[in-house]
Amino acid sequence: MNDFSIRLARAEDAEAIHRVEDDAAARFHEYPALAGVPIPPTTSAEDHARLIARGRSLVSVVDGVVVGFAEAAPIGRDLHLHELSVSMRHQGRGIGATLLEALAIDARNAGYRAITLSTFRDVPWNAPFYARRGFVEIDGCEDYPHLSESLESAVVFGIPKDRRIAMIRFLD
């Protein structure tokens, strides 16, 4: 039995989401395969609040405390996953996978065609995690300008192009 619950994110969750993202991001800085690779800064609480207002963000709660989140926003007929994070203390318990599946169910019920994202290709809790949950690599992003922009902004930030990947999960 799980000791966490999933619900829609609320405006008052923005600061807690920011803290979860900061905590989870520490794992990137500790991962040896990313040594020397710049890690983008986390999102501000204000930007989290803007995404929450779009109505497609979920949080995971344990004992009344936000411990994970999935933030997404519509782009045409797709839902773009901006961030999926779980605090380090609560990782490995299925919270991220449950958030992702709940997001997919919500997106399908709302009539979205797919969920898109960009992530690290070779970090175990990134592309391989998403691949196990039905996401596939997008070869060429001509039909997905938001993904092209995301991949390009990572390169501009200093992340080697071959380290990033665009993925999609169709919701049919």
Side-chain angles (χ1 to χ4, degrees):
M1 183 166 101
N2 294 329
D3 63 344
F4 62 89
S5 60
I6 306 290
R7 65 167 170 76
L8 281 173
R10 303 177 203 140
E12 61 267 22
D13 295 326
E15 187 60 43
I17 288 171
H18 175 68
R19 285 191 301 272
V20 168
E21 184 183 17
D22 275 350
D23 181 66
R27 191 170 179 200
F28 287 101
H29 296 286
E30 298 169 0
Y31 187 58
L34 291 176
V37 175
I39 304 301
T42 58
T43 306
S44 70
E46 294 78 18
D47 286 340
H48 284 297
R50 281 191 274 285
L51 281 168
I52 291 168
R54 298 190 73 182
R56 294 285 171 218
S57 297
L58 303 173
V59 294
S60 176
V61 178
V62 173
D63 296 327
V65 176
V66 173
V67 299
F69 69 94
E71 271 182 344
I75 302 207
R77 293 190 56 226
D78 299 332
L79 195 61
H80 182 70
L81 179 63
H82 288 276
E83 183 70 31
L84 174 69
S85 288
V86 176
S87 63
M88 287 208 296
R89 179 173 169 233
H90 294 280
Q91 291 176 2
R93 297 168 48 190
I95 293 172
T98 302
L99 280 163
L100 192 57
E101 192 56 33
L103 186 69
I105 291 166
D106 181 56
R108 185 180 307 113
N109 289 342
Y112 291 100
R113 176 185 70 105
I115 299 174
T116 62
L117 60 88
S118 62
T119 193
F120 279 103
R121 174 184 302 280
D122 54 352
V123 174
W125 64 91
N126 278 204
F129 167 85
Y130 292 112
R132 288 190 304 273
R133 283 148 187 89
F135 285 80
V136 295
E137 181 174 2
I138 297 173
D139 293 325
C141 295
E142 300 81 23
D143 295 332
Y144 305 94
H146 67 286
L147 291 172
S148 292
E149 182 180 310
S150 175
L151 294 174
E152 183 56 34
S153 68
V155 170
V156 169
F157 185 75
I159 300 172
K161 186 176 184 170
D162 65 332
R163 301 299 296 267
R164 297 295 290 175
I165 184 174
M167 302 182 83
I168 192 166
R169 176 178 168 184
F170 292 98
L171 299 171
D172 46 17

